[in-house]
C-alpha cells in the first residue's frame, strides 16, 4: 500500500482538497470534514483501489470523516456484483445488506449505512464512505454524484 499525505487548509472554512483521483475528478467535498488528506493505493481480490481519505485530529489520534475509492477490476460488471464485492470487502453479510437504490441525473447508485457507490462502467466503480455523524446521507449522495471521469 502506498500513501501520500498533505494538509488541505487551516480548518478555518477552507474547502478540503478534492481534485483528481485515478482519472476521476472529485467535484464536491462537504464542509466541516477533516483537512488532513491522504492518498492510498491497494488491491483486494483482483480489484485495484485508489483511495483518498479526509481525516481530522482528535484527542485519541485521527478520525476518518470521508473516503473516496476508485475501484477497477474485471469482477465488477454489474451494480449487484459491485454490491456483493463490497459486502465481502467490508465483511458484511451480502444476503442481508441491502442498500437503497437511487437515481440522480445520469447516476444510478446504492446508498446506506454511511456508504454510497455506483458502477461507472463495467469494471470501474466509485465507492464513498463517510462518518454518518458528520456527513448526512444527502451529502454522501452529493459526493458520489460529483465524482466523474476527468
Amino acid at each position: 500500500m502506498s500513501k501520500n499525505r498533505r494538509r488541505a487548509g487551516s480548518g478555518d472554512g477552507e474547502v478540503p482538497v478534492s481534485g483528481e483521483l485515478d482519472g476521476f475528478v472529485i467535484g464536491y467535498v462537504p464542509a466541516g470534514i477533516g483537512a488532513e488528506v491522504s492518498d492510498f493505493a491497494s488491491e483486494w481480490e483482483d480489484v485495484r483501489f485508489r483511495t483518498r481519505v479526509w481525516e481530522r485530529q482528535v484527542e485519541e489520534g485521527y478520525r476518518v470523516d470521508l473516503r473516496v475509492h476508485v475501484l477497477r477490476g474485471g469482477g465488477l460488471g454489474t451494480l449487484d456484483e459491485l454490491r456483493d464485492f463490497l459486502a465481502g470487502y467490508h465483511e458484511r453479510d451480502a444476503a442481508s445488506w441491502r442498500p437503497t437504490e437511487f437515481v440522480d441525473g445520469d447516476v444510478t447508485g446504492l446508498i446506506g449505512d454511511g456508504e454510497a457507490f455506483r458502477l461507472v462502467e463495467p469494471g470501474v466503480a466509485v465507492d464513498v464512505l463517510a462518518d454518518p455523524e458528520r456527513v448526512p446521507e444527502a451529502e454522501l449522495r452529493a459526493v458520489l454524484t460529483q465524482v466523474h471521469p476527468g
Side-chain angles (χ1 to χ4, degrees):
M1 179 182 305
S2 65
K3 180 178 176 181
N4 179 19
R5 182 182 208 113
R6 63 191 178 279
R7 182 129 180 96
S10 66
D12 297 328
E14 292 183 41
V15 176
V17 171
S18 53
E20 191 272 334
L21 178 68
D22 196 26
F24 284 78
V25 174
I26 302 169
Y28 175 73
V29 174
I33 64 168
E36 295 288 335
V37 181
S38 303
D39 287 350
F40 299 87
S42 60
E43 189 171 312
W44 187 77
E45 296 288 323
D46 296 324
V47 173
R48 185 182 67 154
F49 287 71
R50 294 296 182 265
T51 304
R52 178 152 304 144
V53 176
W54 289 260
E55 57 191 344
R56 60 191 159 85
Q57 194 165 11
V58 294
E59 193 171 299
E60 304 82 33
Y62 284 90
R63 176 161 297 148
V64 173
D65 291 331
L66 179 69
R67 287 179 282 170
V68 174
H69 301 290
V70 175
L71 296 84
R72 296 180 187 271
L76 308 175
T78 66
L79 192 55
D80 285 337
E81 288 173 344
L82 173 59
R83 184 191 61 80
D84 291 347
F85 171 82
L86 289 171
Y89 178 74
H90 296 300
E91 298 179 347
R92 294 177 173 154
D93 176 22
S96 63
W97 184 50
R98 295 289 175 212
T100 305
E101 184 172 321
F102 73 91
V103 177
D104 187 332
D106 62 349
V107 172
T108 299
L110 295 172
I111 192 166
D113 300 326
E115 182 170 19
F117 54 93
R118 69 184 179 109
L119 191 68
V120 177
E121 62 185 53
V124 181
V126 174
D127 180 32
V128 178
L129 296 106
D131 177 348
E133 293 178 14
R134 296 194 63 85
V135 181
E137 189 171 288
E139 292 283 288
L140 181 64
R141 183 182 311 200
V143 174
L144 179 69
T145 61
Q146 295 299 312
V147 178
H148 52 84

